[in-house]
Amino acid sequence: MIAIPISGHAQLQLSGSQAARFTDNAARTAANENSDLESRTSLTAGYETDPGKCSARFSGTISYSIWLNNSFDNETRGNMNLDSECELATGFYWELDNNLREVRQDLTQSDTPTNRTRKNVFSTGPRYVWRLGSTDSIAFSTRYENTEFEEPEQTDSDRIVSSIAWSHLFSQTLSGGLTTSYSIADLDTGAEVSVRTAQATFNKQWATTTVSGALGVSEIETRQAGRSQTSDGIVAEVDLTRELNPSTNWYLRGARELTDRSSSFDIRFEEFEFNLSESITVQTTTVSTGINKSFSDRGSLNINIFATQADFLETNQLEERAGLDLGYSRPITSRVSGDTLIGYRYQAFEEDNSDDEAINLQFGLNYLASRDLSISARVGHEQKTSDVLSREYTEFWAQVGVEYRFR
């Protein structure tokens, strides 16, 4: 249980849903496909405090799934985001965050319940901002971070991250600075991973564009059973958004980092996935770009393109992924709306020199029965091809659901 700081009047949203999903290939196998019906009951909550000395934002869903033909065990699933902080004194803050996600264990295998595990990252610690004047400040931060996986064979860790950052305001629209950080993680396997990083940072704003980022160097060292391995490299991060016109936004986001697979990198950059069957330390690279557009008929178009690379340093194995998501939705009547999603995924694994490709299509209708009650229906198709025939599959599915907003 986590205590959430409360300031003023909290804004709470709560809804429940029930969905039934039929699939003709529940295990997503190349042969001996089995049909099944999944019944899922979910509860979703959202929470945000009013501005004040303490602030918190929370969103989460917990659900319980039952499989009619016992393709998988009945299970509880969940995801959660909590970001909170309190200003205990002038310039002195205490932060507390928690992120819960379901992640794939082996990226070469299909995304099924038997290949998923829950990953929970909890972090907390103080931050002090020392104002040196109207244009300069120094921030000191120390955080404790704990990562736990549901499956016992996965590597849990305890981590301490400390940083010092100097920031200078060059103008009303331009700021920059220097940041140094040091982290040390103790893994439950007995290994110890330390990372040292130094970066130059910047933030620039124009009338329709905002860009921020960092560029520097990093060194990672792994110690286990009396052996030590050290790697270093250039690290960077960029986040750019631009308003092309009043109804269209374009974004570009990327990062390169030296880390280990129990870190929160995959939570901060959701396009990236760790392969939990590989070695501990990883050089991660991810870049994504896309467009969000609104139309006069209240329709919307969302396009996202991404590419990621994971270089596992102990084994020198390389994994690459790329993908495209194209989504379109629009109202059909005052109560009915429709949506379409097209997705493409490409994966390359150096270890066995294999490539995978997957494409999925889905179409949905949503009916707003009342202000609080909605009904939905969806159909979809997914097909995966691979150099390894056992990884191929084809799946057709259909789903109906009902959702009620309590508040």
Side-chain angles (χ1 to χ4, degrees):
M1 297 295 293
I2 298 174
I4 302 176
I6 298 176
S7 174
H9 296 87
Q11 301 173 8
L12 176 65
Q13 296 179 339
L14 187 66
S15 63
S17 64
Q18 177 65 49
R21 183 180 185 272
F22 171 80
T23 172
D24 69 348
N25 190 358
R28 294 180 170 177
T29 57
N32 302 318
E33 299 93 337
N34 64 305
S35 301
D36 209 336
L37 181 69
E38 178 191 11
S39 174
R40 181 180 299 179
T41 305
S42 303
L43 183 66
T44 299
Y47 173 96
E48 185 170 356
T49 61
D50 290 334
K53 288 290 186 180
C54 291
S55 63
R57 293 181 304 277
F58 170 85
S59 63
T61 299
I62 185 170
S63 61
Y64 184 72
S65 292
I66 299 173
W67 293 87
L68 184 65
N69 294 332
N70 301 313
S71 296
F72 304 101
D73 294 334
N74 301 337
E75 63 171 352
T76 301
R77 303 173 63 180
N79 64 76
M80 179 182 71
N81 285 312
L82 170 66
D83 301 300
S84 63
E85 71 172 17
C86 275
E87 186 175 9
L88 305 180
T90 302
F92 181 73
Y93 302 85
W94 194 278
E95 300 174 329
L96 185 150
D97 301 327
N98 197 87
N99 290 277
L100 175 67
R101 286 288 186 279
E102 285 200 351
V103 296
R104 279 199 291 171
Q105 299 183 69
D106 187 348
L107 299 186
T108 65
Q109 303 303 311
S110 300
D111 185 11
T112 62
T114 55
N115 192 31
R116 299 190 200 115
T117 183
R118 278 192 288 268
K119 178 180 182 178
N120 191 80
V121 181
F122 168 80
S123 63
T124 186
R127 176 171 60 92
Y128 178 69
V129 180
W130 181 20
R131 307 282 181 190
L132 301 178
S134 59
T135 59
D136 293 273
S137 64
I138 300 177
F140 305 88
S141 174
T142 298
R143 297 175 71 89
Y144 163 76
E145 186 176 288
N146 170 259
T147 300
E148 290 189 355
F149 292 91
E150 179 186 25
E151 301 298 329
E153 65 267 21
Q154 302 303 339
T155 303
D156 300 338
S157 68
D158 293 291
R159 187 187 318 268
I160 298 293
V161 182
S162 298
S163 67
I164 302 176
W166 164 69
S167 178
H168 177 74
L169 185 65
F170 295 97
S171 69
Q172 293 298 317
T173 61
L174 175 64
S175 63
L178 299 172
T179 299
T180 61
S181 64
Y182 175 75
S183 71
I184 184 165
D186 292 318
L187 283 61
D188 61 2
T189 59
E192 184 180 271
V193 179
S194 59
V195 182
R196 302 169 183 85
T197 304
Q199 292 179 303
T201 61
F202 68 94
N203 182 288
K204 173 66 176 175
Q205 295 180 341
W206 292 273
T208 59
T209 305
T210 300
V211 59
S212 62
L215 179 64
V217 294
S218 186
E219 179 187 73
I220 186 169
E221 182 181 4
T222 307
R223 294 177 290 275
Q224 186 174 25
R227 299 189 303 272
S228 177
Q229 176 177 320
T230 302
S231 301
D232 55 42
I234 295 175
V235 294
E237 187 171 338
V238 64
D239 192 338
L240 184 153
T241 59
R242 178 173 174 80
E243 184 181 299
L244 302 180
N245 56 56
S247 63
T248 308
N249 290 319
W250 170 71
Y251 64 88
L252 173 67
R253 191 182 186 206
R256 182 179 178 90
E257 192 170 303
L258 290 172
T259 185
D260 67 89
R261 57 184 170 87
S262 70
S263 74
S264 62
F265 185 87
D266 57 335
I267 292 176
R268 291 182 284 120
F269 297 89
E270 295 183 357
E271 298 87 1
F272 185 88
E273 289 184 85
F274 286 112
N275 194 332
L276 301 181
S277 65
E278 296 291 349
S279 60
I280 297 172
T281 54
V282 193
Q283 182 171 270
T284 60
T285 306
T286 181
V287 60
S288 64
T289 184
I291 290 176
N292 300 310
K293 181 173 179 58
S294 301
F295 299 97
S296 57
D297 61 0
R298 292 184 296 151
S300 64
L301 175 67
N302 307 104
I303 302 173
N304 180 56
I305 304 171
F306 72 87
T308 70
Q309 184 185 81
D311 185 358
F312 294 90
L313 300 178
E314 282 94 352
T315 60
N316 291 320
Q317 295 298 329
L318 192 68
E319 296 180 0
E320 297 174 309
R321 298 176 68 239
L324 164 68
D325 290 313
L326 174 63
Y328 175 72
S329 65
R330 72 177 297 269
I332 299 173
T333 69
S334 60
R335 290 183 176 272
V336 179
S337 62
D339 58 75
T340 302
L341 176 65
I342 301 173
Y344 170 79
R345 295 291 184 272
Y346 169 80
Q347 296 184 111
F349 302 95
E350 186 181 67
E351 183 176 10
D352 58 2
N353 195 29
S354 65
D355 296 348
D356 295 352
E357 290 185 273
I359 186 168
N360 70 83
L361 307 171
Q362 62 174 278
F363 306 93
L365 290 173
N366 303 282
Y367 173 67
L368 188 62
S370 68
R371 187 184 66 175
D372 299 320
L373 178 65
S374 61
I375 302 170
S376 63
R378 296 193 138 60
V379 294
H381 169 68
E382 184 165 341
Q383 182 172 349
K384 181 179 180 181
T385 58
S386 174
D387 294 334
V388 181
L389 294 182
S390 62
R391 301 208 297 246
E392 296 187 344
Y393 68 85
T394 300
E395 180 191 18
F396 291 91
W397 58 268
Q399 176 178 300
V400 294
V402 59
E403 181 178 3
Y404 184 78
R405 187 178 66 180
F406 298 107
R407 58 173 301 169

